[in-house]
Amino acid sequence: MSKTIVRPTLSLGNHIYLYRLLRDAIGCGKQTFMTQVEEALAAGDMAAYDLGFESTRELLEELDDCIKLTVFKGGRLYATVIANEAWDAALAKGEDKPKAAKGAKQSYKKKKTRREGPQGRAPQAR
């Protein structure tokens, strides 16, 4: 039996979501150490393993359209978020849509109010 290695793939929506997450957390054009990228992913309740990747480096290699990886001497790995105007425009367009306020609808039932007597206290049963 031959073993086939299945490499996880990300959809375009995943790419855009991760781009927004890293752009907001790190910023565009800044070289950032790998641990800060992992912290940004963790802040979004996500890890490379959750997406099917063995390491954060593998995940960032898959995001080569919006992340540039730089390896320095000693194996230090830095990531740079590359600005993508088309994705920024799409994300800005999505943020402009007004969101319906949760609980904005009034209940069809009226709240019961306690009636008070002339002295400011509840009437007593007779």
Side-chain angles (χ1 to χ4, degrees):
M1 240 191 214
S2 64
K3 292 184 179 180
T4 57
I5 298 173
V6 178
R7 184 171 182 176
T9 57
L10 297 173
S11 68
L12 180 61
N14 295 130
H15 280 251
I16 294 172
Y17 176 78
L18 290 168
Y19 168 74
R20 181 183 57 86
L21 179 72
L22 295 173
R23 180 199 65 188
D24 293 348
I26 297 169
C28 290
K30 297 179 185 177
Q31 277 191 345
T32 307
F33 194 57
M34 183 61 68
T35 55
Q36 291 176 328
V37 174
E38 291 170 345
E39 289 171 2
L41 290 172
D45 292 329
M46 186 177 306
Y49 184 76
D50 297 335
L51 298 170
F53 294 92
E54 292 293 321
S55 67
T56 305
R57 181 177 181 161
E58 286 183 17
L59 172 63
L60 295 180
E61 287 172 351
E62 180 70 23
L63 295 172
D64 61 346
D65 51 352
C66 62
I67 303 289
K68 177 185 172 191
L69 291 178
T70 308
V71 181
F72 287 99
K73 292 179 182 177
R76 293 186 320 262
L77 186 64
Y78 287 82
T80 306
V81 178
I82 302 168
N84 188 326
E85 297 298 325
W87 290 359
D88 287 335
L91 289 168
K93 186 177 179 181
E95 291 172 355
D96 291 342
K97 294 180 182 176
K99 294 182 179 179
K102 192 172 186 179
K105 295 181 182 179
Q106 291 185 357
S107 175
Y108 66 92
K109 293 182 179 180
K110 292 183 178 180
K111 293 184 179 179
K112 294 182 180 179
T113 58
R114 184 175 175 188
R115 293 188 174 178
E116 295 184 9
Q119 282 92 18
R121 52 189 165 153
Q124 297 179 357
R126 293 183 183 199

